[in-house]
Amino acid sequence: MISFIEEYYFLCFRSAEFFAALAGILCFKKFKNDKASKYLIYFLIYINCIEILASYTVIIHENPSFLSIKETLKNTVFEKNYWWYFLTWFIGANVFFSCYYYLIAENTRIKKAIKLILFSTLLFQFIYFVLFMSSSNYDYMIYAEVIDLFVIVFLISSYFIQLLNSENIISFYKLLPFYVSIGTLVFFIVTTPLTFFERYFTLSDPEYISLKYSIKFFAIIFMYAFIGIGFIVSKPKLRN
């Protein structure tokens, strides 16, 4: 099982991302009047794009014709793609999920809290990135993921509280935000602790590599599969 995951890791998780985006695109007409769901579809397409661009490290490393570029990037922040994921995923995900749950929120106080959290964490993450982007140990990634985890937990908790206090609880399985919340929460809770061990990542430790890939493999597959299924089985909720 481990050998299968290691061999087909990138193919499977890219397929999962593509499946979620494709499901959203195919169901776009169904959600054309649901602003939050449309933004989710755009975000899934965006994720597929940033994954393609993030593969520049693999292309440069495996292609001998890019040897000069590889040497130029050596010992710089651009040698690995952490900086790219920080800007496009950690900060990007923070912005998207805050906006997404703001759109589906029905409580005015929660909406104000989401706006406050978005602007404060976004400012902190951007300043922190500028100050520490030249760091070669990427410790700043730990704080970025922890911040995102707390933001996600707050956003999803506020959604479930509102769901429990509304009539929508009767048909929760028909609501796309329910599937997005479950998949996203599981993904962040399971994968965030891995960041604390990233500084110890080395190719000479195959046990840790196998564990890391296995955890991220199932977390990614679960999240995108859950969201993709959500597009198919859920019904849109029209909002102004």
Side-chain angles (χ1 to χ4, degrees):
M1 184 62 177
I2 296 299
S3 60
F4 173 84
I5 293 175
E6 292 177 350
E7 184 175 357
Y8 297 101
Y9 173 79
F10 290 103
L11 175 62
C12 290
F13 96 73
R14 291 289 293 115
S15 298
E17 290 175 340
F18 181 75
F19 165 72
L22 181 62
I25 293 172
L26 294 177
C27 296
F28 188 86
K29 186 176 181 180
K30 179 170 69 171
F31 295 98
K32 66 179 180 179
N33 295 319
D34 187 337
K35 185 182 294 186
S37 298
K38 287 197 300 182
Y39 285 168
L40 174 60
I41 296 171
Y42 298 148
F43 181 67
L44 292 171
I45 296 173
Y46 162 80
I47 289 176
N48 279 268
C49 292
I50 67 173
E51 288 290 353
I52 293 174
L53 294 175
S55 62
Y56 79 88
T57 53
V58 178
I59 296 174
I60 293 175
H61 180 74
E62 296 182 351
N63 196 324
S65 61
F66 293 125
L67 181 60
S68 59
I69 299 178
K70 180 180 178 181
E71 291 299 322
T72 302
L73 299 180
K74 190 175 182 180
N75 297 324
T76 69
V77 69
F78 303 106
E79 182 179 10
K80 296 182 179 181
N81 54 20
Y82 289 130
W83 68 276
W84 174 251
Y85 279 116
F86 188 97
L87 291 174
T88 59
W89 172 248
F90 296 118
I91 294 181
N94 185 3
V95 173
F96 166 74
F97 284 112
S98 295
C99 292
Y100 179 78
Y101 283 98
Y102 177 85
L103 288 174
I104 65 176
E106 298 179 350
N107 184 291
T108 304
R109 290 184 178 179
I110 290 179
K111 282 194 170 187
K112 291 181 179 179
I114 291 176
K115 289 174 66 175
L116 178 61
I117 290 174
L118 171 60
F119 289 118
S120 58
T121 56
L122 185 61
L123 178 62
F124 177 81
Q125 284 182 317
F126 184 76
I127 294 175
Y128 196 74
F129 173 73
V130 172
L131 293 176
F132 296 97
M133 68 175 294
S134 60
S135 174
S136 59
N137 57 17
Y138 306 103
D139 283 348
Y140 61 86
M141 299 285 288
I142 298 175
Y143 302 101
E145 288 221 29
V146 171
I147 289 173
D148 276 353
L149 175 61
F150 279 111
V151 171
I152 290 296
V153 170
F154 169 78
L155 294 173
I156 295 177
S157 298
S158 65
Y159 166 72
F160 281 130
I161 290 173
Q162 293 177 88
L163 181 62
L164 289 171
N165 292 324
S166 69
E167 296 179 355
N168 293 326
I169 189 64
I170 300 174
S171 56
F172 68 92
Y173 55 91
K174 296 181 180 179
L175 302 175
L176 179 58
F178 171 79
Y179 294 91
V180 175
S181 299
I182 294 295
T184 304
L185 184 62
V186 170
F187 173 80
F188 274 91
I189 288 180
V190 170
T191 60
T192 297
L194 294 175
T195 311
F196 291 93
F197 300 96
E198 193 65 25
R199 68 178 68 180
Y200 306 113
F201 179 83
T202 173
L203 296 178
S204 61
D205 188 0
E207 289 79 12
Y208 171 72
I209 295 176
S210 297
L211 177 63
K212 174 184 175 181
Y213 279 140
S214 298
I215 293 175
K216 296 192 72 173
F217 177 84
F218 289 109
I220 290 172
I221 297 296
F222 178 83
M223 178 177 67
Y224 289 115
F226 220 66
I227 293 175
I229 293 172
F231 276 117
I232 298 171
V233 303
S234 63
K235 294 183 179 180
K237 184 174 183 179
L238 304 184
R239 297 176 182 273
N240 297 325

